[in-house]
PDB file of all heavy atoms in Angstrom:
ATOM      1  N   THR U  19     -42.455  31.636   4.878  1.00 98.00           N
ATOM      2  CA  THR U  19     -42.237  32.046   6.271  1.00 98.00           C
ATOM      3  C   THR U  19     -42.787  33.448   6.441  1.00 98.00           C
ATOM      4  O   THR U  19     -42.414  34.370   5.693  1.00 98.00           O
ATOM      5  CB  THR U  19     -40.746  31.977   6.635  1.00 98.00           C
ATOM      6  OG1 THR U  19     -40.283  30.637   6.452  1.00 98.00           O
ATOM      7  CG2 THR U  19     -40.520  32.402   8.088  1.00 98.00           C
ATOM      8  N   VAL U  20     -43.712  33.600   7.371  1.00 98.00           N
ATOM      9  CA  VAL U  20     -44.384  34.894   7.586  1.00 98.00           C
ATOM     10  C   VAL U  20     -43.370  35.886   8.166  1.00 98.00           C
ATOM     11  O   VAL U  20     -42.723  35.589   9.180  1.00 98.00           O
ATOM     12  CB  VAL U  20     -45.588  34.736   8.528  1.00 98.00           C
ATOM     13  CG1 VAL U  20     -46.280  36.085   8.708  1.00 98.00           C
ATOM     14  CG2 VAL U  20     -46.555  33.681   8.003  1.00 98.00           C
ATOM     15  N   GLU U  21     -43.265  37.042   7.511  1.00 98.00           N
ATOM     16  CA  GLU U  21     -42.289  38.057   7.928  1.00 98.00           C
ATOM     17  C   GLU U  21     -42.967  39.224   8.632  1.00 98.00           C
ATOM     18  O   GLU U  21     -43.991  39.721   8.163  1.00 98.00           O
ATOM     19  CB  GLU U  21     -41.533  38.588   6.704  1.00 98.00           C
ATOM     20  CG  GLU U  21     -40.729  37.509   5.971  1.00 98.00           C
ATOM     21  CD  GLU U  21     -40.228  37.978   4.615  1.00 98.00           C
ATOM     22  OE1 GLU U  21     -40.386  39.174   4.291  1.00 98.00           O
ATOM     23  OE2 GLU U  21     -39.686  37.134   3.884  1.00 98.00           O
ATOM     24  N   ARG U  22     -42.365  39.689   9.715  1.00 98.00           N
ATOM     25  CA  ARG U  22     -42.901  40.872  10.420  1.00 98.00           C
ATOM     26  C   ARG U  22     -43.029  42.082   9.513  1.00 98.00           C
ATOM     27  O   ARG U  22     -44.000  42.808   9.552  1.00 98.00           O
ATOM     28  CB  ARG U  22     -42.005  41.249  11.594  1.00 98.00           C
ATOM     29  CG  ARG U  22     -42.135  40.396  12.813  1.00 98.00           C
ATOM     30  CD  ARG U  22     -41.181  40.896  13.888  1.00 98.00           C
ATOM     31  NE  ARG U  22     -40.983  39.893  14.911  1.00 98.00           N
ATOM     32  CZ  ARG U  22     -39.915  39.828  15.698  1.00 98.00           C
ATOM     33  NH1 ARG U  22     -38.932  40.712  15.568  1.00 98.00           N
ATOM     34  NH2 ARG U  22     -39.836  38.885  16.609  1.00 98.00           N
ATOM     35  N   GLY U  23     -42.002  42.286   8.705  1.00 98.00           N
ATOM     36  CA  GLY U  23     -41.992  43.477   7.839  1.00 98.00           C
ATOM     37  C   GLY U  23     -43.142  43.472   6.869  1.00 98.00           C
ATOM     38  O   GLY U  23     -43.779  44.507   6.619  1.00 98.00           O
ATOM     39  N   ARG U  24     -43.449  42.288   6.314  1.00 97.00           N
ATOM     40  CA  ARG U  24     -44.591  42.187   5.377  1.00 97.00           C
ATOM     41  C   ARG U  24     -45.903  42.484   6.108  1.00 97.00           C
ATOM     42  O   ARG U  24     -46.800  43.121   5.575  1.00 97.00           O
ATOM     43  CB  ARG U  24     -44.664  40.786   4.767  1.00 97.00           C
ATOM     44  CG  ARG U  24     -43.952  40.636   3.444  1.00 97.00           C
ATOM     45  CD  ARG U  24     -44.411  41.618   2.376  1.00 97.00           C
ATOM     46  NE  ARG U  24     -45.775  41.422   1.900  1.00 97.00           N
ATOM     47  CZ  ARG U  24     -46.144  40.445   1.110  1.00 97.00           C
ATOM     48  NH1 ARG U  24     -45.298  39.551   0.664  1.00 97.00           N
ATOM     49  NH2 ARG U  24     -47.417  40.333   0.728  1.00 97.00           N
ATOM     50  N   LEU U  25     -46.022  41.968   7.342  1.00 98.00           N
ATOM     51  CA  LEU U  25     -47.246  42.205   8.099  1.00 98.00           C
ATOM     52  C   LEU U  25     -47.405  43.699   8.399  1.00 98.00           C
ATOM     53  O   LEU U  25     -48.519  44.246   8.326  1.00 98.00           O
ATOM     54  CB  LEU U  25     -47.258  41.393   9.393  1.00 98.00           C
ATOM     55  CG  LEU U  25     -47.297  39.869   9.209  1.00 98.00           C
ATOM     56  CD1 LEU U  25     -47.342  39.187  10.577  1.00 98.00           C
ATOM     57  CD2 LEU U  25     -48.505  39.441   8.378  1.00 98.00           C
ATOM     58  N   ARG U  26     -46.293  44.357   8.713  1.00 98.00           N
ATOM     59  CA  ARG U  26     -46.363  45.800   8.983  1.00 98.00           C
ATOM     60  C   ARG U  26     -46.737  46.575   7.715  1.00 98.00           C
ATOM     61  O   ARG U  26     -47.510  47.548   7.759  1.00 98.00           O
ATOM     62  CB  ARG U  26     -45.037  46.301   9.542  1.00 98.00           C
ATOM     63  CG  ARG U  26     -44.756  45.817  10.956  1.00 98.00           C
ATOM     64  CD  ARG U  26     -43.606  46.618  11.591  1.00 98.00           C
ATOM     65  NE  ARG U  26     -43.331  46.148  12.934  1.00 98.00           N
ATOM     66  CZ  ARG U  26     -42.257  45.408  13.271  1.00 98.00           C
ATOM     67  NH1 ARG U  26     -41.349  45.104  12.363  1.00 98.00           N
ATOM     68  NH2 ARG U  26     -42.084  45.006  14.511  1.00 98.00           N
ATOM     69  N   PHE U  27     -46.165  46.178   6.595  1.00 98.00           N
ATOM     70  CA  PHE U  27     -46.457  46.845   5.310  1.00 98.00           C
ATOM     71  C   PHE U  27     -47.935  46.655   4.982  1.00 98.00           C
ATOM     72  O   PHE U  27     -48.638  47.593   4.572  1.00 98.00           O
ATOM     73  CB  PHE U  27     -45.547  46.244   4.233  1.00 98.00           C
ATOM     74  CG  PHE U  27     -45.668  46.858   2.849  1.00 98.00           C
ATOM     75  CD1 PHE U  27     -46.194  48.123   2.661  1.00 98.00           C
ATOM     76  CD2 PHE U  27     -45.199  46.160   1.744  1.00 98.00           C
ATOM     77  CE1 PHE U  27     -46.272  48.674   1.379  1.00 98.00           C
ATOM     78  CE2 PHE U  27     -45.275  46.700   0.481  1.00 98.00           C
ATOM     79  CZ  PHE U  27     -45.826  47.958   0.288  1.00 98.00           C
ATOM     80  N   PHE U  28     -48.443  45.441   5.187  1.00 98.00           N
ATOM     81  CA  PHE U  28     -49.866  45.168   4.931  1.00 98.00           C
ATOM     82  C   PHE U  28     -50.743  46.025   5.828  1.00 98.00           C
ATOM     83  O   PHE U  28     -51.720  46.639   5.387  1.00 98.00           O
ATOM     84  CB  PHE U  28     -50.153  43.685   5.144  1.00 98.00           C
ATOM     85  CG  PHE U  28     -51.543  43.251   4.756  1.00 98.00           C
ATOM     86  CD1 PHE U  28     -51.879  43.046   3.431  1.00 98.00           C
ATOM     87  CD2 PHE U  28     -52.519  43.061   5.736  1.00 98.00           C
ATOM     88  CE1 PHE U  28     -53.176  42.665   3.075  1.00 98.00           C
ATOM     89  CE2 PHE U  28     -53.793  42.661   5.384  1.00 98.00           C
ATOM     90  CZ  PHE U  28     -54.127  42.469   4.063  1.00 98.00           C
ATOM     91  N   ALA U  29     -50.391  46.092   7.115  1.00 98.00           N
ATOM     92  CA  ALA U  29     -51.156  46.893   8.071  1.00 98.00           C
ATOM     93  C   ALA U  29     -51.175  48.364   7.625  1.00 98.00           C
ATOM     94  O   ALA U  29     -52.212  49.032   7.672  1.00 98.00           O
ATOM     95  CB  ALA U  29     -50.566  46.767   9.468  1.00 98.00           C
ATOM     96  N   GLN U  30     -50.013  48.848   7.201  1.00 98.00           N
ATOM     97  CA  GLN U  30     -49.929  50.239   6.731  1.00 98.00           C
ATOM     98  C   GLN U  30     -50.829  50.452   5.507  1.00 98.00           C
ATOM     99  O   GLN U  30     -51.554  51.440   5.399  1.00 98.00           O
ATOM    100  CB  GLN U  30     -48.482  50.555   6.382  1.00 98.00           C
ATOM    101  CG  GLN U  30     -48.277  51.958   5.836  1.00 98.00           C
ATOM    102  CD  GLN U  30     -46.906  52.142   5.178  1.00 98.00           C
ATOM    103  OE1 GLN U  30     -46.255  51.182   4.787  1.00 98.00           O
ATOM    104  NE2 GLN U  30     -46.468  53.372   5.083  1.00 98.00           N
ATOM    105  N   ALA U  31     -50.806  49.491   4.576  1.00 98.00           N
ATOM    106  CA  ALA U  31     -51.566  49.632   3.321  1.00 98.00           C
ATOM    107  C   ALA U  31     -53.068  49.626   3.548  1.00 98.00           C
ATOM    108  O   ALA U  31     -53.821  50.190   2.757  1.00 98.00           O
ATOM    109  CB  ALA U  31     -51.175  48.527   2.334  1.00 98.00           C
TER     110      ALA U  31
END
Side-chain angles (χ1 to χ4, degrees):
Chain U
T19 300
V20 181
E21 297 168 7
R22 282 180 197 156
R24 267 304 292 287
L25 294 182
R26 290 194 180 106
F27 184 20
F28 186 78
Q30 178 194 21

